[in-house]
Amino acid sequence: PKKIIQPELMEDPDSHWGPLVWKTLIVGALVVFLLKVLRARKSEQPLTNSGAASRVNVIPPPNSKKVDSTVPEEVKKTSTATITPATPTTPTTTAAPVAKSVVLKATPKTEPAPSQPSAQKAIEKPVSSAERVETPVGTGPTQSTTKKSALVRQLEKELKQKREEEEKEARAIANSSESLSLIKPTTPIKAQKPALPMSEEEFISSHLSDIFRVCLVHDTTGILFFLSDLAREIPQDKPLLSLQHIDSILMEVTESKRKAGNSSTDLLRYFISCFKRLKSIVSHSTNMPAQPSTDFDSQKLIASISEAVSSSILSFSGLELMDFDLSTNAQHPLLACLVPSVEIEVDIMDDFKNIIISSGFITDLVNHFQQDLSELFLPIFTIVHQRSRINPFQPAQQISRSLMHNQLQAIHVLVANPRIAELVASSSTNSWVWLPSELPGTPTGARLQDQCLLGPLFNYSEYRSPITYFEDPSNITRPQAMSAFNKMRENQATHVKDLHRILAAFLKGPQDSVPRQKALKFIVEALNLNKSRTQIRHLLNPTNAQTSSDGFMLNISFFLLQLCSHFTGHKPHQIRIDSSFLVNTPIGLNLSEETMISSVEEPVASSSPADLPSGSTAAAGGLEASTSTSSTTSENAAPTTYCSGWKKMSEYFFITLYSIHVGVVPCLQYYQHFLQHFAREMQKMKKISQLAATRPDLAAQLPMLKQRKSLLIREKFTMEAILFDHAFITLLLDFYSYTSSWLLHLVGPEDPKKEVFEPLCKVPEWVLEDMTIILPFIIRIKTQDMNLQLDNRSYRLDEITVNLLIRFLGNSKITKNPYLRGKIAEVLYNITPFPDQEIRLKHPYGHAIDISSDYADKIFRGNSMAERQLVPALIQLYVDIEITGRHGQFYEKFFIRRHIALVLKYLRDIPEYEKSIKLTSDSSPQLFLYFINMLVNDMIYLLDEVLEKVKRMNETEQQMNNRQEWLALPHERRAELEQQYATDSTQVGTYSLLSNETLFLISYLSRHNIPTFTRPEMIDRIAGMLNYFLDHLVGPKRKHIKVKDHDKYNFRPGKLLTSLVDVYVNLAQQDPLFLNAIERDSRSFSIRLFSRAQTVITKWGLTNAEVSEKFTKLVEDLKTVYTERQEEEQILEEADVPYDFLDPLMAHLMTDPVLLPTSDNIIDRSVIERHLLSSSTDPFNRKVLTPDMLVPATELKEKIEAWKEEVKAKRRKERAEGVLTNEKEKEKSPDLVEPEDEDDEELWKVSQ
């Protein structure tokens, strides 16, 4: 009990104890208070007058005239202070906050009390609102209005000046058994009474008073709550609290708080603050040495206090939570204490501001209420679910980001306890369920994100958020955009981090634990229900009512990528993925009817553990290594044993692959589709704005168009802020680098004889296809943020990923789908640098891709796999892509082949790859034959389309230039012609790019002395193609290819003519028989064409002097060949050719007859081999026929050659005898007459 020092002892003038005791107590109080300030600052906790660590009742003393001189003068004038000792301090309790601490409190100056009774009245007198620091519980609202006294300010100032000295003194006093005896007062002390020892009852009472902030005697400071009811029951001569009074204390405090209007949340905060004070006392007591001056074991006594107090606090807290009525729509007490808020009013008895429940309190609460956990905790999850279901983007019902963040923090604190996590994962309520399969009716992706517990939490996303981050996106500056982007990314990262902490709490358990299995099952079911997102209809309508939102799917993918980063982000990769996991493990992924990368005719047996890397033990990221048995798809199949660490990694790995497939890829596809729409809308608005100056009807639409433009730009930015996030892109790159290593591991070492790749028969095609969608997107990121250049980062593929692409590119045994291999070629095209940016198609973003030459050189130069396999793979794909099995395959193949041509164009300057081209033509002549044939076919189609459409454009321009004739046409006809002209313009631009690169590739290959060009089945086709296009460029038809802006449509006749001349010169040098092939072309050949071409390239300088000279010689040689050919044809035409010597299909004289074993027909070799290039069948009965099956008809060939010589000899003899005359020889052939040079400056000057 608190006891006031005897007044008569202080008033006795002859007694020297009075002043000495007062001075000693004052100095001791100052020093102890100073020590508490130091400790509070050291632990970064504010020291308040209401703190448990610094409390002794301070009341005005009687006859307080003798005050120590150490008290500041200004304090003496304004206030007087006397000290009432608290419960006698013992060495055992020196370190405890309640037994050793003192608080000095300045009070208004009052008249000194003449006697003890009057002083007691002053104590019992109610303290006014101006005098008290804090209002006791039950007397009114909480207030904190007292400012720091002058004494406190002075002490703080001295503290800053003498910090080091005071810390040393603090340590000395803290370690002393009698703290007051070590205090040196400012005046000499003659003698000092030792501190009275504390009894066991007093020790318990002191600690209970400190824990619950209660007392049995009125506390004028307002710090302690007076237990009036309990005080009447306890004897007045010994007013001490005991362990039997704990429940009575809590009941009286609770009742008082309820009468004062405090809510259940306030009560719970009080219980939690008592619990924290209890734990603080226990923590301090365990670190203090035993004190010999006490008659009891203080640590055991504190343990008894802790057990009794903890049990009562948890019981009262649990009962308070169970009484919560969910239908009242009130704030749940536990959730309020789990969620931090600056609006919390701290009760005078709760010295922990912003009361936040610790994991220890939750653990003790769970252990205390083992059978009633549902009533305690499930209502919290129900409230969070109901709040989160509100659409955060509705203006009238918007949930703040801070509230969502706080709710997720609260959920994490709860589910961090395994018992609560298991409870939640195994429960369902009227408001929510855990798994989508538990939903009544047919579950859908949209329902799961609304009715499952975790659904609304994952649905909250910044992706495509209509919340205004961009006030005026049309006029936004780069700093403004970056600020908005960073804010969105920061909010998104915080949200995903909170989700990761919650899901990680469920997944951290053992392999077969209920929370882990339920968490994985939720994710897998969510992915399965959103499988339809991969369909084309989702691209056209991403807000499908049957699927989850893009934000929901991105959050799941982001979480899974972070989960896998433990083993995907470290190089070199250690592959510990079970290759048979998708077949043998009941993970639940819906991969039925999926097309696999590779296939075999018979079912593939499951992989054995031998397929996995030897010596691998534990998985990365702390996964434990042990053995387990997985289920199989067949009852008779033997179980597969593998490392449990591999099982966890395999689960995470394949679920992440699937989440990217159904989540990330559809978002990227929609974004690219949106960009195309965005570009069209911007072009349309620009055109309307230009016409608005002269058309009032369009001017009225400008405000609406401006608003529409702002909405489009805002939507674009809200997608890019998340999709272009550096953390997200880095996770994707690391994940796919690991995926590449895994796929290369499945394929194994290079083996040309290997026909079947069984592990790939279990891997879906979309694994590789998703890479071909995501990787080009990542490479193009730098070009997608328009003129703002929001991010200067550039992302590059590592060598592992490039090697995978090369390995899967050309081998149809590995990748059976040629279209998928074409997508791989597109990825390689995107990482290939080109100095001439004109060769690139303008992709939907409107920017050319800027790739560093150093980066490409690092990837391709010195890469042994690329040097061996890349060129053959590209050539093989060029042939195989003829048939993809897709709708629109005819047009798709041109773009894929253009990518191949451009990659080969880059590789030609690297010596190793140039040698590889020649080596491939020599080692695989049949492959190269098909390759050249496809080049010729594409060139004929593309350039013919260009010339035809350019001719039609020329005719339309002629009509438009004649204004009178144009206006005379009907309006419908003019609209039709304008639409046709626009369509032709677009197609000419695309086809010109494709044809230019195809012709350039032919020109490049013709320089390498490749015999394929001059093979009998190819030489006539190539010569005919060249003559046909030469006729259109320099012949009479050239007047039809003049359009206004050739460069606008990528149509450059000069470059085309230059490439044609190069091919002519190269092939003529390679084989002189090529001149005969040129001359044999009866459709387009004319000496006038070559003479005209010679004039054009010389006049306009389209080629260098060396090429021009070689072409001039070629023209002269052609004239000679032409004259000789005319003579021979005349001789043969006048003779009757035997029927057996004629080709049955083309009806011309055969030069190299062969027998078809499938039909026993004889046909000219050049004719049948040309046919076999397009179809491997016999033209007479459609049976399978290949070039190696042809049988030379040697006897017939000899008869034909003998007959020809006989006819020639006979005609020469007749001419010599004058029997036969040739009237044509008397006339000069019109073809040998030089044409007049026409002025085509408009056509050729532009190209120069």
Side-chain angles (χ1 to χ4, degrees), residues 942-985:
L942 293 171
L943 194 52
D944 196 33
E945 286 289 309
V946 170
L947 296 175
E948 179 184 351
K949 297 182 186 305
V950 167
K951 178 183 177 181
R952 191 159 55 206
M953 292 172 61
N954 176 267
E955 294 172 354
T956 305
E957 286 181 357
Q958 295 292 338
Q959 289 180 293
M960 291 180 176
N961 291 336
N962 190 338
R963 195 65 181 170
Q964 183 176 0
E965 180 183 348
W966 176 254
L967 295 177
L969 294 174
H971 177 73
E972 293 79 5
R973 178 58 179 167
R974 292 201 305 270
E976 181 182 352
L977 289 175
E978 289 176 348
Q979 180 64 32
Q980 184 65 51
Y981 184 85
T983 303
D984 289 341
S985 301

Side-chain angles (χ1 to χ4, degrees), residues 87-106:
T87 304
T89 304
T90 64
T92 304
T93 59
T94 301
V98 295
K100 65 169 184 174
S101 50
V102 183
V103 163
L104 295 182
K105 174 179 170 71

Side-chain angles (χ1 to χ4, degrees), residues 527-685:
L527 298 178
N528 288 336
L529 289 177
N530 286 281
K531 187 177 181 180
S532 61
R533 285 171 52 87
T534 60
Q535 301 174 358
I536 188 64
R537 62 182 179 182
H538 176 77
L539 180 63
L540 303 177
N541 182 25
T543 57
N544 190 341
Q546 301 300 314
T547 60
S548 301
S549 65
D550 289 343
F552 177 92
M553 300 306 300
L554 285 176
N555 283 337
I556 285 186
S557 299
F558 207 155
F559 160 72
L560 291 171
L561 285 170
Q562 289 180 338
L563 200 63
C564 292
S565 63
H566 297 292
F567 57 88
T568 61
H570 303 284
K571 295 181 182 179
H573 296 142
Q574 297 185 11
I575 305 303
R576 300 187 178 102
I577 302 299
D578 181 10
S579 59
S580 62
F581 188 82
L582 289 176
V583 177
N584 295 334
T585 302
I587 191 175
L589 290 178
N590 184 11
L591 301 180
S592 59
E593 302 179 359
E594 294 287 355
T595 304
M596 304 303 168
I597 293 179
S598 186
S599 64
V600 292
E601 295 181 358
E602 298 180 358
V604 180
S606 60
S607 300
S608 63
D611 295 333
L612 299 170
S614 60
S616 298
T617 53
L623 299 177
E624 298 179 357
S626 61
T627 57
S628 62
T629 303
S630 63
S631 61
T632 58
T633 55
S634 173
E635 294 181 0
N636 299 326
T640 301
T641 303
Y642 50 87
C643 172
S644 66
W646 293 357
K647 182 176 182 180
K648 281 188 176 182
M649 294 177 68
S650 300
E651 285 178 339
Y652 298 155
F653 178 74
F654 287 113
I655 293 176
T656 305
L657 276 176
Y658 196 54
S659 73
I660 294 175
H661 178 59
V662 301
V664 178
V665 171
C667 291
L668 298 185
Q669 290 176 327
Y670 174 76
Y671 171 72
Q672 294 172 352
H673 176 75
F674 171 82
L675 287 180
Q676 297 175 2
H677 170 70
F678 179 82
R680 290 193 298 266
E681 289 293 316
M682 293 298 105
Q683 187 66 25
K684 179 181 177 181
M685 293 177 187

Side-chain angles (χ1 to χ4, degrees), residues 808-952:
F808 281 62
L809 176 66
N811 194 336
S812 59
K813 299 172 185 176
I814 297 178
T815 312
K816 63 180 181 179
N817 187 348
Y819 173 76
L820 183 55
R821 291 157 57 201
K823 298 289 288 182
I824 296 175
E826 182 182 358
V827 179
L828 294 176
Y829 158 77
N830 279 297
I831 63 175
T832 305
F834 296 98
D836 184 7
Q837 294 293 348
E838 293 181 359
I839 68 176
R840 289 193 177 274
L841 281 172
K842 289 185 177 180
H843 51 71
Y845 320 118
H847 299 272
I849 304 170
D850 182 19
I851 300 294
S852 168
S853 298
D854 295 338
Y855 165 61
D857 289 347
K858 182 179 178 181
I859 290 296
F860 294 109
R861 292 181 187 269
N863 188 331
S864 58
M865 177 182 288
E867 292 172 358
R868 290 192 312 271
Q869 299 187 15
L870 182 53
V871 169
L874 291 171
I875 293 175
Q876 183 68 58
L877 177 60
Y878 199 103
V879 175
D880 295 343
I881 204 64
E882 180 71 18
I883 300 176
T884 62
R886 288 169 51 90
H887 176 70
Q889 64 180 6
F890 180 78
Y891 298 99
E892 284 179 343
K893 68 180 181 182
F894 294 118
F895 291 94
I896 295 174
R897 285 173 173 169
R898 178 177 179 270
H899 296 154
I900 297 173
L902 289 174
V903 175
L904 289 173
K905 182 176 181 179
Y906 164 73
L907 297 176
R908 65 173 185 169
D909 297 327
I910 304 177
E912 291 79 8
Y913 294 96
E914 188 174 14
K915 294 177 183 178
S916 181
I917 294 175
K918 186 67 171 66
L919 181 62
T920 304
S921 67
D922 295 338
S923 60
S924 305
Q926 195 63 28
L927 171 64
F928 222 83
L929 175 62
Y930 284 112
F931 174 51
I932 298 299
N933 182 64
M934 297 298 179
L935 283 173
V936 173
N937 289 344
D938 293 350
M939 186 64 199
I940 292 174
Y941 172 79
L942 293 171
L943 194 52
D944 196 33
E945 286 289 309
V946 170
L947 296 175
E948 179 184 351
K949 297 182 186 305
V950 167
K951 178 183 177 181
R952 191 159 55 206

Side-chain angles (χ1 to χ4, degrees), residues 105-109 126-135 143-147 220-221:
K105 174 179 170 71
T107 57
K109 186 175 182 180
V127 183
S128 64
S129 59
E131 295 175 338
R132 64 189 173 195
V133 179
E134 295 172 321
T135 308
Q143 296 181 357
S144 299
T145 58
T146 305
K147 299 181 180 180
T220 58
T221 63

